[in-house]
Amino acid sequence: MQNAAQVINAARARAYAPRKKQTVSEWSDKNIILSRKTSPEPGPWHTDRNPILREPMDCLSARSTIHEVVIKFPIQIGKSEIGRNAIGYWMDQAPGPIMAAFPAEVSMNKWINQKLNPMLDDSPVVKNVLVSTNSRNAANTKEFKDFLGGQLYVEHAGAPARLKSTSVKYLVVDELTEFANSFKSGDDPMVMLEDRYSAFTSTYKRLDISSPGTKGICRIDERYELSDRRRYYMPCPHCLEEIIFEWSGLHWDKGGVRVRYVCPECGCEIEEHQKTAMIKAGRWIPQNPESKIRGYTVNCLYYQIGLGPRWEKLVEMWLSAQNDPAKLKTYVNSRLAEAWEDPSMRAVKLNVIADRAESYRLRLAPLGVCQVTAGVDTQDDRLEVQIVGWGKGMAAWVLDYVVLWGDPADDAVWVALTDLLNRPIEHSNGHALPIQATAIDAGGHRTEAVKSYVRSRMIRRPMVIFGAVPNNAPVLSRPKAQDVNFRGQYNKRGVMIQHVGTVAVKNVLFGRMGTDGDKPAESRLLHFSDELPKEYFNGLVSETFNPAKNRFEKKRGARNEPLDTLVYAYAAAHHHELRLHLHTAAKWDELGAKLAVVSSDEYRRLQAESVIPEQQPAPLPAPKKPAKSNQLASNAWSSRL
């Protein structure tokens, strides 16, 4: 029998003993209970059931030196469980302010109902740290939990205010790819989230979780590329060489039967039932060990048997998606955990387009150009202008790209625009081609200034345009009167507004850029001068197509004015008085005859015989020094990029 002193001393020793070093995975194995409502295998959590989750979870432990973890996983593999387990661990073992952020209110509510609430209800150790479990208590609401030593905020990016004014030590960002590029206020939600933990410079933890989206605008893909890019390597059961599961290594017979994996090292076939032991013996190996950010990715072939579709079912899903681009994109994103790249966009890359530039002078229209239009993008401090020549088959030549610095609320920049657009473009055969129509974007903060300029009719066929909201809008809508007379009736002689179907136009332009590479220069439908700067080509390929939304989305940080102004110039060619898109080959030949445009071979022969002298573009007029009252740059009224 122990005496009282021994009992008291034993209790005192347990009370004074330092807390054992415990990782997130160890804590989860001991405390997390999976709910029957949401889990295929309810009961105590066992990390050994899915070993690939162990290291990512342990990076979030209190004693881990890792601050940022990126998880790029397929669906149904347990990536959300990593965030939930980490939150429970922090609440119990290392309390502090926590934020769980989601792209929308719907996804936030689903996570609360399917992940957070079941953990609070079924895991006693987490439930016990809550200050109150009474739903009527202000300390315990649906989106806010007050616990001993910290607080849990559950927020969504539906409004900037939800991501402001909160300092946290731990941040979990779920479905990162689905976050908007920016709020209406212009704020980037990712920058706002970074500001939340900036006060905890040495102790913060950040976890980014998501399946990927569209290549070029996928946030989780960008974060993973910045990380040490870890892949899960396993020993082959035949040769014992460490390999990774890749979709290209999966083989099956006709009809999707007898599915097996072929080892790239020894060529032996691996059956699906062998992957359980392989995964248990595997390890994460970084591809970029210099990075301080931990990044993890696997694909659907790593599903543990019983926790996801079998290989044969995955092959069936793959085969059924081959003739459906939307299904194929979903499979690539959700199952293969790879960013989707539209096949038609693969040829539209900066180096490919820039290398396709041709040797013709700006402001000197080459042979084939019969009409000229312009597009103008309006910014708060400048106008960006692109001048485009058109020929047979709506073939386009970029003839100039100019930036006019100055606030469009000031008249000076419009004077410069008038001077620029009223100067005809010289043709290589000696003719002067006037700019037939100009589409001016009225979106943004200078709408009334654009309308006022178009009313003045200082240039030929000015057009006030806005980008159309519907994805299936036509290239150019019918003009709609905006001005009213003294009787309140619309004035047909006043300013007209038209909407441009930007999605339709960009599909045309990107389709041309994607197919022109296989054609000789004289057969291309889009021609670019080698005098255009690199920044122009950067802007031209600044957007990628998202088939899920049927829209083009801008890459973060990119300037897309070169693309926008090309779209506007294309829309100007559809002006109801021009309708260049409806011209037949005979009509283009007629226009060419009026310009006395000869064939390329005939032109070269005549030039060699000195019948046609070499033409040089007319020099730009010397810039006038602007008045002090305007905001034009003093170096020139127009400056090229």
Side-chain angles (χ1 to χ4, degrees):
M1 293 289 293
Q2 291 180 328
N3 57 34
Q6 289 175 322
V7 173
I8 293 173
N9 288 334
R12 183 182 296 169
R14 287 194 300 270
Y16 291 161
R19 179 174 290 180
K20 292 182 180 180
K21 296 180 181 179
Q22 200 172 36
T23 64
V24 174
S25 62
E26 293 170 346
W27 180 90
S28 301
D29 290 338
K30 185 178 179 181
N31 298 293
I32 290 294
I33 305 297
L34 298 176
S35 173
R36 188 178 301 276
K37 297 178 181 179
T38 59
S39 175
E41 295 183 358
W45 170 276
H46 297 291
T47 306
D48 284 340
R49 184 69 175 92
N50 199 356
I52 64 174
L53 303 183
R54 184 180 301 277
E55 184 179 316
M57 282 197 297
D58 289 348
C59 289
L60 301 168
S61 304
R63 297 183 182 272
S64 170
T65 59
I66 303 302
H67 291 294
E68 299 183 36
V69 180
V70 179
I71 306 293
K72 187 175 74 164
F73 278 5
I75 60 174
Q76 298 179 344
I77 203 169
K79 60 181 185 294
S80 293
E81 277 72 12
I82 296 175
R84 180 205 58 198
N85 291 356
I87 289 175
Y89 170 87
W90 293 329
M91 293 173 70
D92 179 45
Q93 295 288 306
I98 306 170
M99 176 183 285
F102 298 85
E105 186 175 6
V106 173
S107 56
M108 180 192 71
N109 289 333
K110 285 183 178 179
W111 183 83
I112 292 174
N113 295 329
Q114 296 181 2
K115 305 296 180 183
L116 179 62
N117 287 342
M119 179 180 69
L120 299 179
D121 293 338
D122 299 332
S123 300
V125 70
V126 182
K127 188 174 184 179
N128 290 339
V129 301
L130 292 176
V131 172
S132 172
T133 57
N134 185 354
S135 61
R136 296 184 179 180
N137 193 309
N140 180 25
T141 64
K142 181 179 180 181
E143 300 166 11
F144 174 80
K145 308 294 180 184
D146 196 4
F147 59 91
L148 298 175
Q151 297 172 323
L152 171 62
Y153 305 88
V154 185
E155 302 288 1
H156 65 82
R162 298 197 64 116
L163 301 183
K164 291 182 177 180
S165 304
T166 305
S167 293
V168 298
K169 182 179 180 180
Y170 306 110
L171 175 65
V172 176
V173 185
D174 207 344
E175 295 303 333
L176 176 66
T177 296
E178 301 301 322
F179 275 73
N181 288 337
S182 62
F183 291 116
K184 291 182 179 180
S185 61
D187 297 310
D188 188 332
M190 289 300 99
V191 176
M192 297 177 68
L193 287 173
E194 290 174 6
D195 293 340
R196 303 285 66 78
Y197 56 81
S198 59
F200 297 85
T201 56
S202 59
T203 59
Y204 78 93
K205 300 282 185 183
R206 171 176 175 169
L207 173 63
D208 293 325
I209 307 170
S210 187
S211 297
T214 303
K215 193 174 183 66
I217 57 173
C218 176
R219 291 186 183 273
I220 196 67
D221 204 45
E222 291 179 2
R223 290 282 294 164
Y224 179 76
E225 289 301 315
L226 293 173
S227 72
D228 60 0
R229 302 196 294 273
R230 294 181 175 237
R231 306 292 300 274
Y232 199 77
Y233 283 78
M234 308 156 294
C236 169
H238 303 288
C239 66
L240 300 182
E241 290 289 337
E242 288 187 311
I243 63 171
I244 57 175
F245 281 152
E246 296 183 296
W247 185 255
S248 59
L250 199 66
H251 293 257
W252 58 86
D253 293 344
K254 187 175 181 180
V257 299
R258 206 176 80 79
V259 182
R260 68 276 184 195
Y261 194 88
V262 177
C263 174
E265 299 295 336
C266 65
C268 295
E269 294 183 350
I270 301 172
E271 301 295 334
E272 185 174 13
H273 67 85
Q274 296 176 288
K275 74 178 181 181
T276 302
M278 293 174 62
I279 292 174
K280 187 175 182 180
R283 64 188 180 115
W284 291 99
I285 298 179
Q287 315 298 311
N288 178 33
E290 294 81 12
S291 176
K292 295 182 180 179
I293 303 174
R294 285 288 181 93
Y296 299 90
T297 188
V298 291
N299 56 41
C300 57
L301 300 183
Y302 288 85
Y303 286 143
Q304 289 281 21
I305 295 175
L307 296 180
R310 301 290 296 269
W311 283 357
E312 190 169 322
K313 179 62 177 179
L314 292 170
V315 170
E316 178 186 335
M317 296 163 63
W318 169 262
L319 294 176
S320 67
Q322 293 309 296
N323 296 322
D324 190 330
K327 283 185 178 180
L328 187 59
K329 177 188 181 295
T330 301
Y331 190 91
V332 170
N333 291 159
S334 302
R335 300 295 182 180
L336 301 186
E338 297 176 3
W340 167 261
E341 184 176 15
D342 192 335
S344 65
M345 301 293 292
R346 289 174 187 162
V348 185
K349 297 184 181 296
L350 172 62
N351 58 333
V352 176
I353 302 301
D355 290 345
R356 206 180 293 163
E358 304 167 24
S359 58
Y360 66 85
R361 300 285 303 275
L362 292 177
R363 298 200 65 84
L364 182 65
L367 291 172
V369 176
C370 299
Q371 298 277 23
V372 180
T373 63
V376 180
D377 185 76
T378 307
Q379 299 292 328
D380 289 353
D381 61 348
R382 68 191 184 279
L383 301 175
E384 301 203 16
V385 187
Q386 187 162 184
I387 301 174
V388 181
W390 304 96
K392 183 180 291 188
M394 286 294 286
W397 286 260
V398 177
L399 302 178
D400 205 0
Y401 193 84
V402 176
V403 179
L404 303 176
W405 292 100
D407 190 337
D410 193 349
D411 290 339
V413 72
W414 296 108
V415 172
L417 179 68
T418 303
D419 188 25
L420 175 68
L421 297 181
N422 281 333
R423 294 178 57 250
I425 299 296
E426 190 162 352
H427 201 284
S428 57
N429 63 10
H431 287 273
L433 300 180
I435 297 173
Q436 297 289 351
T438 301
I440 307 175
D441 174 37
H445 305 131
R446 300 296 183 263
T447 302
E448 293 305 318
V450 174
K451 291 181 181 179
S452 176
Y453 178 73
V454 171
R455 286 189 194 98
S456 66
R457 299 291 193 275
M458 302 297 291
I459 58 175
R460 188 176 299 197
R461 298 189 184 96
M463 304 161 58
V464 178
I465 61 165
F466 288 91
V469 175
N471 295 342
N472 59 349
V475 172
L476 194 65
S477 69
R478 295 180 62 181
K480 184 177 180 180
Q482 290 294 298
D483 293 335
V484 295
N485 58 24
F486 68 98
R487 294 180 178 176
Q489 299 172 338
Y490 282 112
N491 181 5
K492 294 184 179 180
R493 294 186 179 182
V495 69
M496 299 283 187
I497 284 183
Q498 295 176 264
H499 288 85
V500 175
T502 55
V503 175
V505 179
K506 288 174 184 177
N507 274 317
V508 171
L509 297 177
F510 276 95
R512 291 183 173 191
M513 285 188 274
T515 57
D516 272 354
D518 300 329
K519 299 177 182 178
E522 58 272 12
S523 301
R524 294 172 186 163
L525 293 175
L526 272 177
H527 303 264
F528 306 102
S529 169
D530 56 8
E531 293 186 357
L532 291 166
K534 181 182 178 181
E535 290 78 9
Y536 173 86
F537 296 101
N538 277 325
L540 200 65
V541 296
S542 60
E543 298 185 9
T544 57
F545 183 66
N546 186 345
K549 299 180 181 179
N550 192 26
R551 298 195 74 87
F552 285 83
E553 297 177 338
K554 186 173 71 170
K555 301 174 185 177
R556 279 176 295 281
R559 306 295 308 185
N560 64 344
E561 287 83 359
L563 176 60
D564 284 345
T565 50
L566 182 58
V567 169
Y568 304 154
Y570 184 89
H574 289 62
H575 190 284
H576 66 278
E577 294 179 5
L578 292 179
R579 299 194 294 177
L580 302 183
H581 62 294
L582 298 180
H583 283 3
T584 62
K587 179 64 175 179
W588 285 112
D589 289 339
E590 179 185 343
L591 290 174
K594 290 180 179 179
L595 295 171
V597 176
V598 298
S599 68
S600 299
D601 293 337
E602 181 68 10
Y603 181 83
R604 281 192 289 270
R605 184 185 66 80
L606 294 174
Q607 195 175 58
E609 296 174 359
S610 298
V611 177
I612 299 178
E614 266 193 58
Q615 299 289 335
Q616 298 293 330
L620 290 172
K624 297 180 180 179
K625 187 175 181 179
K628 293 183 180 179
S629 59
N630 66 55
Q631 298 180 16
L632 282 176
S634 60
N635 56 346
W637 60 260
S638 67
S639 59
R640 302 189 188 282
L641 279 176

